[in-house]
Amino acid sequence: MQTESIEKCGALRGEIRVPGDKSISHRSVMFGALAQGQTRVRGFLRGEDNLSTLTAFRAMGIAVEERPDGELLIEGRGMQGLSEPADVLDCGNSGTTIRLMSGLLAGQRFFSVLTGDRYLRRRPMGRVLQPLAQMGAQIWGRQQGQCAPLAIVGQPLKGLSYQSPVASAQVKSALLLAGLYAEGETRVYEPHLSRDHSERMLRHFGVTVDSFAGGVSIAGGQSLQARDLEVPGDISSAAFFLVAALIVPGSELLIRQVGVNPTRTGILDILRAMGGDIRCLDERELGGEPVADLLVRSSTLKGIEIGGALVPRAIDEFPVISVAAACAEGTTVVRDARELRVKETDRIAAMASVLQTLGVTVTTADDGMTICGQETFQGGQVDSCGDHRIAMSAAIAGLCAGTALTIRDTACTETSFPGFWPLLAGLRRQAV
Ligand code: S3P
């Protein structure tokens, strides 16, 4: 099992890039496959999750060339161009792959089976299967349709108006994909706006998607036209280095070409509210998505309260936000974040355990946690629980630990951030 050891370091300085956005990379393959014609994708994230999506589409007859310069060339075959996969489709650790594909496969003219690793097979699938069943989908899963593996017998679908109980882009996107194949209109309402990459990319491919207060709608029977795409850097990956630079005294980092879609920038709002000095430079647009260079300087942080609509806008960043909170003056309270319990692992329990090992006072609630900030951490040994974001958040906490922090089970960072450890090691080597 891979382990990493981190301890206190000097100021982090310089200019970095982070790999492409995971959510956008998944969608580039899915929508590119459904489009008519060739889609060229620059900046595709070659993380394990996205490779699961790529492999699944290849297994359904989609040709994808991976060029040496990292560009993907996807030969889209149109809305009815997928073919029945000869084997089970393995979604690995990827919730986005399995949930979005459930929606997409529900309306095909063939049979398919989706599964994943032991972590994914524990995660709730009922949230997509239940509304899909109302559209006419025939999908079976373990535990009364709650868990993968999922067996899908493609069916003609009908549109649905659905109020989602959770703000989830995976639920919304699964229903939009099924809605493309359904007769009539599909409307999805959500309690707070979740990330809108599907809506933006579908529009980029020529589909009409209507966004309104509280939801989104799509008419069935539309087709996609191939369009080139450029994937911005993933703000969820940049988040680790934003927090690193904030908490290590004297640091200043410039992170180039990061996606700053407003449905994803909760991390910037939260860190700024804590007193973090983060500037967005050279804001521009790339393939329908806003991007900027982020300049971050070490800052004295203070504890804040986080809840409500801000939560889905920073949902993947709470592990590293909890590290910032542990370094802040005063107490940080996170509420309304029950979703963290059903991510790659239970991220409330996992981060509480990491921070407690470091000597931080943390209490947990069903929907969040309370973290008392302090000046330094002690070292020790922590476990990633097989969750990429727990492993990377622990590494950032280690930068403030007085003695070495050992992190067990660190190969999982390949899920979303290939090259994380060398990038961090390079910055630490040059630390001043
Ligand atoms: C994602 C949506 C979010 C997020 C996940 C990626 C997506 O999940 O946590 O990492 O690409 O649509 P939920 O839809 O469960 O909130």
Side-chain angles (χ1 to χ4, degrees):
M1 182 177 285
Q2 189 177 310
T3 63
E4 297 284 342
S5 208
I6 307 275
E7 61 190 297
K8 216 184 192 94
C9 75
L12 304 171
R13 291 179 166 267
E15 211 180 291
I16 60 169
R17 277 178 185 264
V18 292
D21 187 277
K22 181 156 77 73
S23 292
I24 297 174
S25 294
H26 281 301
R27 288 158 173 82
S28 71
V29 174
M30 295 181 185
F31 298 155
L34 298 182
Q36 202 67 59
Q38 187 186 70
T39 290
R40 216 173 247 275
V41 187
R42 284 178 59 193
F44 179 78
L45 170 62
R46 296 192 87 266
E48 283 173 356
D49 271 12
N50 299 108
L51 296 177
S52 295
T53 296
L54 194 55
T55 305
F57 279 84
R58 282 182 167 145
M60 293 189 290
I62 300 298
V64 182
E65 186 189 337
E66 292 175 80
R67 310 253 304 222
D69 59 1
E71 217 172 77
L72 285 192
L73 294 181
I74 305 167
E75 303 300 334
R77 292 168 51 107
M79 291 300 288
Q80 300 299 336
L82 300 178
S83 51
E84 184 173 89
D87 202 348
V88 171
L89 301 173
D90 186 355
C91 304
N93 191 242
S94 176
T96 305
T97 309
I98 198 164
R99 294 204 179 107
L100 268 61
M101 288 187 57
S102 301
L104 168 62
L105 294 172
Q108 303 298 320
R109 296 178 179 147
F110 55 74
F111 172 74
S112 53
V113 181
L114 298 170
T115 192
D117 69 11
R118 64 196 167 104
Y119 303 102
L120 190 63
R121 281 184 272 116
R122 284 204 294 256
R123 296 182 65 188
M125 296 299 141
R127 54 178 57 196
V128 279
L129 268 47
Q130 191 232 326
L132 286 172
Q134 291 178 42
M135 297 177 78
Q138 300 261 337
I139 308 182
W140 289 267
R142 290 188 309 119
Q143 299 183 4
Q144 284 86 45
Q146 273 307 311
C147 293
L150 306 175
I152 305 175
V153 179
Q155 297 290 321
L157 303 175
K158 53 184 191 304
L160 171 73
S161 179
Y162 184 66
Q163 171 72 56
S164 174
V166 284
S168 161
Q170 293 176 356
V171 171
K172 175 173 62 178
S173 306
L175 298 182
L176 288 175
L177 277 161
L180 274 175
Y181 287 89
E183 197 187 308
E185 190 192 53
T186 297
R187 292 174 88 80
V188 187
Y189 297 90
E190 47 184 356
H192 297 296
L193 180 61
S194 64
R195 63 191 65 189
D196 66 356
H197 303 301
S198 294
E199 295 91 306
R200 286 174 185 258
M201 200 183 291
L202 283 167
R203 287 187 194 113
H204 187 67
F205 280 90
V207 173
T208 302
V209 185
D210 187 21
S211 297
F212 48 85
V216 59
S217 74
I218 196 165
Q222 302 186 65
S223 54
L224 284 71
Q225 281 309 315
R227 290 288 299 273
D228 290 352
L229 286 168
E230 185 148 354
V231 182
D234 197 328
I235 192 166
S236 298
S237 297
F240 301 106
F241 292 95
L242 290 174
V243 172
L246 288 175
I247 65 176
V248 176
S251 298
E252 178 172 323
L253 286 180
L254 181 65
I255 314 177
R256 291 265 186 214
Q257 201 163 302
V258 180
V260 288
N261 177 318
T263 61
R264 298 284 300 280
T265 48
I267 177 72
L268 303 182
D269 296 348
I270 289 167
L271 293 175
R272 283 175 179 149
M274 295 177 82
D277 178 357
I278 306 175
R279 287 162 212 205
C280 283
L281 309 177
D282 192 16
E283 286 190 52
R284 54 211 186 265
E285 213 176 274
L286 212 59
E289 290 279 351
V291 299
D293 300 333
L294 302 180
L295 179 65
V296 53
R297 295 197 181 101
S298 67
S299 309
T300 304
L301 300 179
K302 61 178 195 303
I304 58 165
E305 298 202 358
I306 307 168
L310 199 47
V311 172
R313 293 181 52 234
I315 193 65
D316 291 338
E317 286 66 77
F318 281 96
V320 79
I321 288 168
S322 73
V323 174
C327 296
E329 283 169 11
T331 302
T332 295
V333 182
V334 177
R335 293 195 187 88
D336 307 323
R338 189 174 316 229
E339 278 294 294
L340 296 176
R341 296 267 183 205
V342 291
K343 291 294 174 188
E344 285 81 332
T345 188
D346 175 343
R347 286 183 172 162
I348 293 176
M351 278 318 293
S353 165
V354 168
L355 294 175
Q356 283 159 355
T357 304
L358 292 163
V360 180
T361 304
V362 183
T363 54
T364 62
D366 194 32
D367 70 339
M369 60 210 296
T370 300
I371 301 160
C372 301
Q374 57 187 55
E375 265 173 27
T376 55
F377 303 142
Q378 67 199 30
Q381 190 176 95
V382 297
D383 199 284
S384 73
C385 305
D387 183 325
H388 51 133
R389 300 202 201 280
I390 301 297
M392 293 186 277
S393 300
I396 301 309
L399 299 175
C400 291
T403 52
L405 176 69
T406 302
I407 309 158
R408 282 164 41 87
D409 195 1
T410 51
C412 54
T413 54
E414 290 296 308
T415 299
S416 64
F417 201 152
F420 172 79
W421 299 109
L423 181 57
L424 184 62
L427 285 172
R428 294 178 67 219
R429 258 196 315 277
Q430 292 161 24
V432 285

